[in-house]
Amino acid sequence: VSPVRIRRPLALVAALGIAVAACAEPEEQAMCPAYAQFVGVYEIVAASDPTGATAGDAAEAVEVAVGELRQLRAVADQRYSAPIDQLEALLDDLGRTLDSLVDEEDYDTWAPLVKDTTDDVEIAYARLRRVMDPACADRTDNDESAADAADQEDFAWTAY
């Protein structure tokens, strides 16, 4: 099955049925949906098998995640800026490394070059989840239909 190319992450998230309920606090009403959207996109990319992706495909996936993170930053409370900044810096570094390669480079070429950075991204993502989940926890638990849809569509890094 060839990977589906989707250029609009908002359409992807809507298609996967990631529903976002309003947050309890008024100042969180914009933050929690943006956080859930970022988590949804990040989790789909993180759970996919990157071995069939080219460097260009991986760079596009990172770019989409950075875009979602920047949308979160625009509405997030100041107390979350440090973990958002750290994750964004690492994702930007990952994107720059991937962009420096020929788009058609295969996984065996680009994966070793970004291994340390992807490990750091995972740590920074976990930190962001630890600090933001208490405010938006019930809005970020991606339902099983999202995971099922990703599995059924053979969703991969090349989906972006």
Side-chain angles (χ1 to χ4, degrees):
V1 178
S2 68
V4 179
R5 286 199 165 284
I6 299 175
R7 297 281 181 198
R8 295 184 183 96
L10 296 177
L12 168 68
V13 173
L16 293 177
I18 297 174
V20 178
C23 298
E25 299 296 322
E27 62 271 6
E28 294 174 350
Q29 287 183 359
M31 181 182 74
C32 290
Y35 178 60
Q37 181 126 344
F38 168 71
V39 168
V41 168
Y42 183 94
E43 292 290 331
I44 290 168
V45 172
S48 65
D49 178 9
T51 57
T54 65
D57 295 331
E60 287 182 45
V62 169
E63 184 179 320
V64 170
V66 168
E68 294 298 326
L69 187 60
R70 288 183 179 147
Q71 288 181 20
L72 172 60
R73 171 198 306 289
V75 296
D77 188 285
Q78 189 64 24
R79 64 186 163 180
Y80 303 114
S81 63
I84 291 171
D85 290 347
Q86 180 186 27
L87 182 55
E88 183 177 3
L90 290 165
L91 286 171
D92 283 341
D93 185 43
L94 179 60
R96 279 190 300 274
T97 301
L98 290 165
D99 285 340
S100 72
L101 301 169
V102 175
D103 282 350
E104 291 76 29
E105 293 288 350
D106 64 11
Y107 175 79
D108 292 334
T109 301
W110 63 263
L113 301 173
V114 298
K115 173 73 171 106
D116 290 341
T117 306
T118 56
D119 290 346
D120 292 342
V121 164
E122 290 175 23
I123 292 166
Y125 174 71
R127 178 177 180 229
L128 179 67
R129 293 291 308 255
R130 278 193 310 275
V131 299
M132 291 197 73
D133 275 0
C136 300
D138 63 334
R139 269 83 55 201
T140 57
D141 294 332
N142 298 332
D143 61 24
E144 291 179 22
S145 65
D148 292 344
D151 289 340
Q152 291 171 4
E153 295 294 324
D154 191 26
F155 192 81
W157 286 62
T158 55
Y160 291 103

